[in-house]
């Protein structure tokens, strides 16, 4: 009976080895070659080529994740007063303000679109706060076209995170969060969302950068990605190659759409807020009670620091945890609870993520030497600092010469409309029928007038009045319309 091939080969190799054992020179050459092959094989096993890490397709992953991603649509009622008279009062007339309240209120429905994802089988959905802010009705739609009503469990404007609950007894397919601290620049990611209302859209890219700060909020630690993100992607998930959520897509850099620079809230930062919103319906952030600024090279030289690092205490709030713990104006905080502070902007985020009431040690640079202070953290949301920083309702002002009402842009406008971070101007809140720009729309943003950037209503009034005194009585204004497109318009003034 014939031996199995494997056994036959082994017997053959053993016989051949003993028959040639006497030829030492021959064996030396053979063993050298075999050793080289084994070494090369081991190196290839330890250091696989990059081509093996590159996905051939995202199809399987996308198919698995699509049922957990939702499209979000919201409805808000906007009320505006209309003029009750068949005529207009002259600009500046006291009767205009007197009878302004007597206009018949007109209601209209405003809608917005966004994205979200399910994190438990009972229908808990995560999205951005700016997607659902002010919403009266929230509808989530899945990839199978099923729609459900949803309610807000909790929302946090400071981190731009919101938690919804689907009003249904159905069971849903959840996704889980990844450890965003392990995400590396160059890792593959995919985004799934509802850009421009085109639900179920999948885009891919890599993590382009970590720890980005773009000036939208106090607590920023964005993941930057070149996966295409557009209006409507807000609140949607950014997945790693394991199918876990590495971030929440929140903002883009660009005026009209994706230019390959998008930003996502890291999952670790988001999850801490989400857990608090689910448990308490609100956030509970740690609070030190100091106002801080950057440590420049000049300050570091004066204070005899080896390099510019840490956070310089500009002032200490009376009665705050820092005040009670002995922190003084001029101190430089180098380390908080065992975490080194390399840049000033790192400290607020680290403090906010620390549990209220925890006793922490601060390493402080004072009088050209390092000392340690012990602080018991307070809660930010109950502090006077927080109340002072809570944004007030922007003041609406009248531009009589254009017959419009405007208010200043806010950070919420920039986030919600996904405008470039440096955009500033005046949001149109009301347009009279006989306005010289009555073809514009509510929520258009005036950003320039007479080739000058508009920063206040008073400035715009002055620029328009100057144009009225000119021979042509015209002015060039620039706006961002409701589609976030920048347009220049020549306005003929009366």
């Amino acid at each position: 009976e014939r031996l199995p091939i494997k056994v036959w080969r082994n017997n053959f190799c053993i016989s051949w080895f003993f028959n040639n054992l006497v030829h030492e020179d021959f064996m030396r050459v053979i063993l050298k070659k075999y050793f080289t092959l084994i070494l090369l094989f081991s190196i290839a096993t330890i250091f696989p080529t990059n081509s093996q890490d590159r996905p051939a397709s995202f199809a399987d992953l996308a198919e698995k994740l699509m049922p957990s991603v939702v499209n979000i649509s919201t409805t808000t009622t906007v009320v505006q007063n209309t003029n009750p008279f068949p005529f207009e009062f002259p600009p500046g007339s006291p009767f205009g303000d007197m009878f302004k309240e007597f206009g018949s209120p007109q209601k209209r429905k405003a809608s917005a679109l966004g994205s979200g994802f399910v994190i438990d089988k009972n229908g808990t959905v995560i999205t951005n706060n700016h997607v659902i802010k002010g919403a009266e009705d929230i509808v989530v739609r899945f990839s199978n076209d099923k729609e459900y009503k949803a309610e807000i469990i909790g929302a946090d404007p400071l981190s731009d995170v919101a938690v919804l609950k689907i009003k249904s007894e159905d069971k849903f397919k959840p996704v889980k969060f990844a450890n965003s601290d392990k995400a590396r620049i160059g890792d593959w990611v995919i985004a799934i969302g509802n850009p421009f209302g085109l639900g179920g859209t999948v885009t891919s890219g890599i993590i382009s950068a970590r720890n980005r700060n773009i000036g939208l909020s106090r607590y920023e630690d964005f993941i930057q990605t070149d996966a295409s993100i557009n209006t409507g992607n807000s609140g949607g998930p950014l997945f790693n190659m394991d199918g876990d959520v590495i971030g929440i897509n929140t903002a883009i850099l660009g005026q009209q759409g994706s230019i390959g620079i998008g930003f996502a809230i890291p999952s670790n930062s988001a999850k801490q807020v989400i857990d608090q919103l689910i448990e308490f319906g609100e956030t509970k952030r740690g609070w030190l009670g100091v106002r801080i600024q950057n440590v420049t090279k000049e300050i570091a030289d004066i204070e005899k620091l080896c390099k510019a690092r840490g956070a310089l205490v500009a002032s200490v709030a009376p009665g705050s945890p820092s005040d009670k713990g002995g922190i003084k104006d001029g101190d430089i905080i180098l380390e908080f609870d065992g975490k080194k502070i390399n840049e000033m902007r790192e400290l607020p985020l680290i403090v906010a993520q620390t549990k209220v009431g925890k006793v922490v040690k601060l390493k402080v640079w004072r009088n050209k030497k390092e000392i340690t202070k012990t602080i018991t953290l307070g809660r930010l949301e109950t502090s006077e600092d927080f109340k002072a920083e809570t944004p007030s309702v922007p003041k609406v002002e009248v531009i009589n010469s254009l017959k419009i009402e405007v208010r200043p842009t806010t950070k919420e406008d920039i986030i919600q409309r996904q405008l470039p971070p440096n955009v500033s101007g005046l949001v149109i809140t009301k347009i009279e029928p006989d306005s010289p720009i009555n073809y514009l729309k509510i929520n258009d943003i005036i950003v320039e007038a007479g080739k000058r950037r508009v920063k206040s209503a008073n400035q715009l009034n002055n620029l328009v009045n100057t144009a009225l005194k000119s021979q042509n009585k015209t002015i060039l204004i620039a706006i961002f319309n409701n589609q976030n497109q920048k347009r220049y318009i020549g306005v003929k003034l009366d």
Side-chain angles (χ1 to χ4, degrees):
E1 187 176 3
R2 295 181 61 184
L3 291 172
I5 293 175
K6 184 176 180 181
V7 176
W8 180 84
R9 284 179 177 170
N10 287 343
N11 289 339
F12 173 80
C13 291
I14 293 171
S15 301
W16 181 88
F17 178 80
F18 282 109
N19 289 336
N20 291 279
L21 187 62
V22 292
H23 303 290
E24 294 182 3
D25 292 339
F26 177 74
M27 287 303 300
R28 191 178 295 112
V29 173
I30 294 298
L31 289 173
K32 185 177 180 181
K33 287 183 178 181
Y34 269 98
F35 178 77
T36 303
L37 288 173
I38 292 169
L39 181 62
L40 290 173
F41 176 77
S42 301
I43 292 173
T45 303
I46 297 170
F47 302 105
T49 60
N50 290 334
S51 62
Q52 292 175 334
D53 294 334
R54 187 170 187 168
S57 171
F58 297 102
D60 291 339
L61 189 57
E63 184 178 3
K64 170 188 171 184
L65 298 173
M66 290 280 277
S68 303
V69 181
V70 299
N71 306 326
I72 298 177
S73 58
T74 63
T75 305
T76 307
T77 300
V78 179
V79 180
Q80 292 179 317
N81 284 346
T82 59
N83 183 15
F85 304 104
F87 55 86
E88 293 289 331
F89 291 104
S93 168
F95 296 103
D97 291 332
M98 184 182 300
F99 291 100
K100 186 176 180 181
E101 302 286 331
F102 291 88
S104 57
Q106 298 292 322
K107 294 183 179 181
R108 65 180 180 87
K109 293 290 186 180
S111 60
L113 298 174
S115 306
F117 55 97
V118 179
I119 61 167
D120 69 30
K121 64 181 181 180
N122 295 321
T124 302
V125 173
I126 306 303
T127 187
N128 282 141
N129 173 70
H130 75 257
V131 170
I132 52 84
K133 183 181 178 182
E136 297 167 359
D137 296 304
I138 303 173
V139 175
V140 299
R141 187 174 71 253
F142 286 81
S143 57
N144 60 5
D145 290 332
K146 282 190 175 182
E147 292 187 352
Y148 301 88
K149 293 277 189 178
E151 60 183 354
I152 300 172
I153 299 298
D156 178 42
L158 293 183
S159 63
D160 199 16
V161 171
V163 181
L164 312 179
K165 176 68 174 66
I166 296 174
K167 297 178 180 179
S168 172
E169 298 299 322
D170 292 351
K171 298 302 178 184
F172 303 93
K173 184 179 179 181
V175 290
K176 62 181 181 178
F177 287 104
N179 182 354
S180 57
D181 289 344
K182 294 183 178 180
R184 301 172 61 204
I185 296 173
D187 282 349
W188 284 97
V189 289
I190 66 171
I192 304 179
N194 185 29
F196 302 109
L198 302 171
T201 299
V202 181
T203 56
S204 67
I206 62 168
I207 293 176
S208 305
R210 293 290 315 273
N211 310 116
R212 285 297 198 213
N213 186 307
I214 57 177
L216 288 181
S217 66
R218 181 176 182 178
Y219 305 110
E220 293 188 358
D221 184 30
F222 288 122
I223 293 173
Q224 181 183 325
T225 178
D226 66 350
S228 184
I229 297 173
N230 290 282
T231 302
N233 272 110
S234 290
L238 187 70
F239 291 107
N240 63 16
M241 291 298 97
D242 294 325
D244 298 330
V245 178
I246 204 76
I248 303 174
N249 300 320
T250 298
I252 58 174
L253 193 64
Q255 298 177 4
Q256 303 196 18
S258 175
I259 57 172
I261 303 178
F263 301 95
I265 303 168
S267 56
N268 286 9
S269 299
K271 191 174 184 307
Q272 188 171 21
V273 173
I274 290 165
D275 289 344
Q276 290 183 358
L277 292 176
I278 292 174
E279 184 176 357
F280 309 113
E282 60 183 356
T283 56
K284 295 184 178 182
R285 291 185 169 92
W287 176 57
L288 267 180
V290 293
R291 295 192 181 278
I292 56 176
Q293 66 183 68
N294 281 314
V295 178
T296 64
K297 183 180 183 302
E298 291 75 16
I299 292 174
D301 290 342
I302 293 170
E303 295 294 331
K304 303 300 181 186
L305 264 177
C306 57
K307 65 176 182 177
R309 62 189 180 97
L312 174 62
V313 177
S315 63
V316 179
S320 67
S322 291
D323 186 26
K324 295 175 181 177
I327 300 297
K328 297 181 179 180
D329 296 359
D331 286 349
I332 299 176
I333 300 173
L334 302 176
E335 190 174 299
F336 174 89
D337 197 25
K339 302 177 182 70
K340 290 185 177 180
I341 308 301
N342 296 309
E343 298 180 29
M344 177 268 290
R345 67 181 182 88
E346 297 173 350
L347 182 61
L349 182 62
I350 294 173
V351 173
Q353 291 176 343
T354 306
K355 188 175 180 179
V356 175
K358 183 177 181 180
V359 178
V360 298
K361 291 189 180 299
L362 272 66
K363 288 187 178 179
V364 174
W365 190 260
R366 180 189 295 174
N367 297 328
K368 302 178 178 58
K369 64 180 181 180
E370 187 178 289
I371 61 175
T372 300
K373 292 291 181 179
T374 301
I375 308 287
T376 301
L377 286 188
R379 184 185 173 194
L380 175 67
E381 289 82 358
T382 59
S383 69
E384 291 299 321
D385 278 358
F386 181 76
K387 296 173 184 176
E389 290 182 7
T390 302
S392 58
V393 177
K395 182 182 178 182
V396 175
E397 299 185 61
V398 179
I399 309 295
N400 291 317
S401 49
L402 292 177
K403 297 182 180 179
I404 60 173
E405 293 182 7
V406 297
R407 64 166 176 81
T409 54
T410 64
K411 288 184 177 181
E412 287 75 16
D413 293 322
I414 304 301
I415 295 172
Q416 186 169 358
R417 294 179 56 163
Q418 297 189 345
L419 291 163
N422 61 344
V423 166
S424 64
L426 300 172
V427 180
I428 299 175
T429 59
K430 185 178 180 181
I431 305 175
E432 298 294 345
D434 60 343
S435 166
I437 53 173
N438 57 12
Y439 45 85
L440 296 183
K441 294 182 179 179
I442 303 298
N443 291 327
D444 285 349
I445 302 175
I446 299 174
V447 292
E448 292 179 22
K451 290 294 184 73
R452 295 181 63 181
R453 293 187 66 178
V454 173
K455 297 180 180 179
S456 68
N458 185 54
Q459 180 196 20
L460 179 58
N461 250 326
N462 292 336
L463 290 171
V464 175
N465 288 334
T466 301
L468 272 169
K469 296 175 184 177
S470 67
Q471 186 176 358
N472 294 329
K473 297 187 184 304
T474 59
I475 188 170
L476 183 68
I477 66 172
I479 67 161
F480 275 101
N481 63 19
N482 283 242
Q483 286 74 46
N484 293 344
Q485 299 167 330
K486 189 175 182 181
R487 295 174 56 201
Y488 283 92
I489 301 168
V491 180
K492 182 68 176 175
L493 304 170
D494 294 333

